[in-house]
């Protein structure tokens, strides 16, 4: 028997959040007075029950976009069209932003890339076409009647994802929902119900009708989630990753008995988790670029693997090859040029540190490392440190110490170079003009005096430096 009733504690959480948006009761009343229905739906209901922060406030209504605008007018400081053809109007009330969408009915033409929108008449139908039962709960306004037709509460308790209708039907309507399953699994640390996993596996190839942009958005949300590895494993195990990120399952290299090497796939997932643990060095975080780079850093390995006599295996130039593969894939997924360049820089440089040995680099090699990393240096530090997955504690500790030392050398060089870039407040020409002297020894002495002054007292500005210069010259 489904529960379908909130515990007093869950009810309290929902009430507290609705109370915090006090005008919602009036807004709900206004819709009712106009002969319409208004409900909070989806994400905010789910997140209130789970006691997670609410991302955005979504509502569903019988009203059309024009009617929404008219009825919500008195509570609207600003409004925008989220796409009128999708029936969504965004409104701002003070610091609160709401999205109100007209009820929908089955609005997908199987086989087409773009959903075609048909408005529906009932909340029940609207909820039944949502992706997962945990996202298909609603709270009617102003009554605060809780609606859970598909066992969403039970699923939240069991930490699982099920579809309101048969998963095959749901995923036929919109194959992107299979990626959304992985995304919510990663965000909520949920599992997918067996029949959902089964449908994802048998229907993975249907993803081919989904646009790259929609897939990328879900991939990003999966990567930026609290448990990306949960979502990524699901994408790989069901074959979905093979559709949109085939380089990832390709990392599962068959290991033969004679040529032992680490499982590159498992290694990459550990590197991702270790990079996430080091993300506190970055602001803002979570950081998509470092997560993409950690996941993809070894994607050049399958292509470059060579078995050698004597049972060793090599992956020569997998950094360069990997950067090329990453560029191609990230472009296909329509990432911005900036993200593509940053991830590829990191993939290409992830091995450089291995030439550092136990500190053999010259200062110029250290400088080149810094220069080539450019503005990705901090992320490169994270990636390189995360890329150590040896179980040998002593080896891991040694690598970490060596990298500490490299970072210290970078800091020392940076400071020295900043100092060497310091110039006095006046240049040689100005000195000669102010003191009315010809080029020669005295100019050099004056220059060194000004440089000392600059080092002692920081920048003085032209006027003060001129004063000081004149005083120094007169006292000689
Ligand atoms: P988030 O916290 O990331 O915003 P969310 O649950 O609000 O999570 P959205 O992508 O914003 O997720 O979608 C809002 C709601 O719309 C979902 O909760 C779900 O009910 C429904 N929804 C969104 N996309 C789909 C889809 N492709 N198929 C079916 N229902 C969907
Ligand atoms: Mg949302």
């Amino acid at each position: 028997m489904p529960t379908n009733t909130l515990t007093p504690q869950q009810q309290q959480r929902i009430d507290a959040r609705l109370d915090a948006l006090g005008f919602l009761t009036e807004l709900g009343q206004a819709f009712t007075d106009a002969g319409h229905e208004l409900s909070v739906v989806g994400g905010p209901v789910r997140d209130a029950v789970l006691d997670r922060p609410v991302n955005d406030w979504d509502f569903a209504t019988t009203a059309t976009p024009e009617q929404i605008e008219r009825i919500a007018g008195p509570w609207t400081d600003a409004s925008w069209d989220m796409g009128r053809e999708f029936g969504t109007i965004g409104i701002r009330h003070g610091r609160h932003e709401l999205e109100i969408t007209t009820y929908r009915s089955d609005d997908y033409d199987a086989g087409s890339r773009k959903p075609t929108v048909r408005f529906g008449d009932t909340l029940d139908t609207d909820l039944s076409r949502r992706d997962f039962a945990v996202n298909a709960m609603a709270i009617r306004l102003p009554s605060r009647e809780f609606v859970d037709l598909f066992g969403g509460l039970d699923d939240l308790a069991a930490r699982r994802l099920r579809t309101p209708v048969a998963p095959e039907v749901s995923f036929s309507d919109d194959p992107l929902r299979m990626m959304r399953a992985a995304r919510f699994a990663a965000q909520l640390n949920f599992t997918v119900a067996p029949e959902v996993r089964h449908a994802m596996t048998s229907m993975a190839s249907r993803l081919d009708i989904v646009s790259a942009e929609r897939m990328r958005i879900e991939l990003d949300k999966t990567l930026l989630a609290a448990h990306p590895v949960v979502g990524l494993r699901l994408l790989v195990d069901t074959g979905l990753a093979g559709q949109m990120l085939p380089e990832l399952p390709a990392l599962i290299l068959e290991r033969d008995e004679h040529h032992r090497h680490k499982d590159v796939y498992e290694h990459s997932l550990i590197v991702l988790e270790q990079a996430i643990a080091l993300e506190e060095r970055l602001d803002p975080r979570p950081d998509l670029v470092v997560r993409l780079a950690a996941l993809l850093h070894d994607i050049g390995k399958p292509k470059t693997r060579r078995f050698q006599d004597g049972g060793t295996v090599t992956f020569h130039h997998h950094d360069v090859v990997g950067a090329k593969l990453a560029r191609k894939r990230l472009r296909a997924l329509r990432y911005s040029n900036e993200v593509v360049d940053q991830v590829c820089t990191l993939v290409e440089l992830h091995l450089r540190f291995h030439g550092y040995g136990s500190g053999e680099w010259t200062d110029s090699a250290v400088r080149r490392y810094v220069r080539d990393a450019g503005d990705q240096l901090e992320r490169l530090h994270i990636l390189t440190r995360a890329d150590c997955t040896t179980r040998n504690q002593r080896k891991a500790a040694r690598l970490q110490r060596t990298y500490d030392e490299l970072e210290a050398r970078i800091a020392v060089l940076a400071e020295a170079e900043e100092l060497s870039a310091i110039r006095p407040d006046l240049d040689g020409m100005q000195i000669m003009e102010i003191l009315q002297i010809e080029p020669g020894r005295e100019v050099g002495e004056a220059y060194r005096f000004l440089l000392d002054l600059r080092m002692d007292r920081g920048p003085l500005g032209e006027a003060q430096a001129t004063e000081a210069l004149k005083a120094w010259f007169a006292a000689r």
Side-chain angles (χ1 to χ4, degrees), residues 258-269:
H258 309 291
H259 309 285
R260 294 194 43 222
H261 57 84
K262 277 190 235 161
D263 183 328
V264 185
Y265 173 64
E266 292 299 331
H267 163 76
S268 299
L269 295 181

Side-chain angles (χ1 to χ4, degrees), residues 18-130:
L18 292 177
D19 290 345
L21 273 75
F23 67 100
L24 284 186
T25 304
E26 293 165 38
L27 189 66
Q29 190 59 53
F31 273 78
T32 307
D33 292 347
H36 285 290
E37 300 176 3
L38 181 72
S39 298
V40 186
V41 285
V45 183
R46 174 199 69 215
D47 292 335
V49 174
L50 287 175
D51 207 14
R52 294 172 90 235
V54 168
N55 203 8
D56 36 43
W57 282 91
D58 296 324
F59 299 81
T61 179
T62 45
T64 61
E66 289 70 27
Q67 292 166 331
I68 295 170
E69 281 177 332
R70 204 174 55 240
I71 301 167
W75 289 271
T76 304
D77 294 324
S79 81
W80 56 96
D81 228 318
M82 304 292 296
R84 192 163 295 254
E85 69 274 28
F86 290 103
T88 303
I89 298 293
I91 68 166
R92 190 167 61 75
H93 172 88
R95 59 194 170 81
H96 303 292
E97 288 183 358
L98 324 180
E99 281 178 19
I100 309 179
T101 306
T102 312
Y103 287 162
R104 305 236 218 132
S105 65
D106 40 44
D107 48 10
Y108 294 94
D109 286 340
S112 93
R113 274 170 185 276
K114 280 237 171 106
T116 55
V117 174
R118 249 166 258 135
F119 293 151
D121 318 312
T122 64
L123 179 62
D124 294 10
T125 318
D126 182 86
L127 295 176
S128 72
R129 53 150 289 280
R130 289 177 182 264

Side-chain angles (χ1 to χ4, degrees), residues 42-43 46-47 55-56 58 108 129-131 135 174 176-177 180 183-184 187 214 221:
R46 174 199 69 215
D47 292 335
N55 203 8
D56 36 43
D58 296 324
Y108 294 94
R129 53 150 289 280
R130 289 177 182 264
D131 49 4
N135 290 341
D174 182 7
L176 183 76
R177 291 173 185 163
R180 288 175 63 86
R183 186 256 274 206
F184 287 110
Q187 286 180 330
R214 290 183 81 207
K221 290 191 174 181

Side-chain angles (χ1 to χ4, degrees), residues 391-465:
R391 288 210 193 84
N392 180 332
Q393 300 272 330
R394 279 182 52 205
K395 195 172 163 198
R398 178 154 38 82
L399 275 170
Q400 199 185 325
R401 269 199 314 277
T402 313
Y403 206 89
D404 289 344
E405 188 200 299
L406 172 59
E407 278 198 50
R409 280 183 70 187
I410 290 173
V412 169
L413 279 178
E415 195 178 346
E417 257 127 63
E418 232 166 76
L419 289 178
S420 74
I422 288 177
R423 301 273 173 276
D425 295 281
L426 304 169
D427 64 19
M429 293 297 285
Q430 291 170 306
I431 292 170
M432 290 188 286
E433 210 180 288
I434 292 162
L435 300 180
Q436 295 294 308
I437 54 175
E438 296 296 310
R441 197 175 41 82
E442 277 184 321
V443 180
E445 281 172 21
Y447 188 89
R448 274 189 296 280
F449 161 75
L450 286 171
L451 185 56
D452 283 343
L453 199 65
R454 168 76 177 74
M455 292 286 194
D456 288 345
R457 294 172 49 190
L460 294 175
E462 230 172 84
Q464 265 200 57

Side-chain angles (χ1 to χ4, degrees), residues 161-176:
L161 297 169
R162 288 181 312 132
T163 47
V165 297
E168 287 77 11
V169 174
S170 175
F171 297 161
S172 268
D173 284 347
D174 182 7
L176 183 76

Side-chain angles (χ1 to χ4, degrees), residues 141-166:
L141 296 177
S143 66
R144 297 194 181 182
E145 178 198 339
F146 177 66
V147 183
D148 176 19
L149 304 170
F150 306 102
L153 269 188
D154 284 347
D155 286 358
L156 286 182
R159 308 178 66 79
R160 88 187 150 211
L161 297 169
R162 288 181 312 132
T163 47
V165 297

